[in-house]
Amino acid sequence: MLLIDILRLLLETAASLLTFCLLLRALMQWVRIHPSNPLSPFIFSMTDWLVKPLRKGVPGYGGIDWASIFAAFVVSFVLHIVLVLITVGLSTGGPGVGSLITLTIPIAIFWVLRNVAYLLMGIVLIQVILSWVNPFSPIASILNELSRPFLEPLRRVLPTIGNVDLSPLAFLLILQIIMMVLQSLMPGF
């Protein structure tokens, strides 16, 4: 059982890294981050092998890179199929193909949504820390651009108190509430 847990950890870590890169790629294209920024070469090299072939069948629409989002879903779907086959399949002979797919699709969707929330939390937290430590860092402007669509509506509503912007705190609270709702919709998520 220990080997299965180790394999599960390795698979989830690799899939999470790839999913974060795919979602970050979609977010970067949605907010129109210039491709020559310091983060783009890493993101593109991690995801081109999956996104470029998918673009032929899944075009972008409305400024959203749907191929990257669909690729994140595919990674999640494949991960959860493999995890079910490893954990359940080894012990009981495994579920049927139809029930496996039916079971895995909602789990994959929730997993991608959870990773979107984690990605946005990470962006906002790193942005806040950099604003205190090194606001002129090359990555700070990228993080500001990535978080702007989410923080600007809150900045219009929340007042600045003593030159402190409370919108990141409010956004993180909203993300936590969303995570709680997802958790209640998908127990064991």
Side-chain angles (χ1 to χ4, degrees), residues 26 41 81 95 104 124 134 149 175 178 180:
I81 291 274
T104 307
V124 170
N134 188 3
L175 284 176
I178 291 170
M180 290 172 67

Side-chain angles (χ1 to χ4, degrees), residues 19-114:
T19 301
F20 284 138
C21 288
L22 290 163
L23 295 172
L24 186 57
R25 178 181 183 135
L27 181 60
M28 288 170 59
Q29 291 184 4
W30 181 58
V31 298
R32 297 187 183 353
I33 299 288
H34 197 275
S36 66
N37 73 67
L39 190 58
S40 290
F42 173 74
I43 297 299
F44 291 149
S45 66
M46 287 286 292
T47 58
D48 273 348
W49 65 275
L50 186 55
V51 173
K52 282 187 175 182
L54 284 175
R55 281 225 170 101
K56 295 173 185 164
V58 184
Y61 182 75
I64 297 173
D65 181 11
W66 290 107
S68 295
I69 294 171
F70 182 70
F73 169 77
V74 168
V75 168
S76 173
F77 182 76
V78 169
L79 169 72
H80 286 89
I81 291 274
V82 170
L83 291 178
V84 167
L85 290 176
I86 288 172
T87 55
V88 176
L90 291 177
S91 62
T92 64
V97 174
S99 62
L100 181 63
I101 290 172
T102 305
L103 171 75
T104 307
I105 288 174
I107 293 171
I109 291 169
F110 279 105
W111 196 74
V112 170
L113 292 174
R114 182 187 72 173

Side-chain angles (χ1 to χ4, degrees), residues 11 37 47 100 106 130 137 141 155 159:
L11 289 173
N37 73 67
T47 58
L100 181 63
L130 276 179
S137 166
S141 64
R155 286 183 179 135

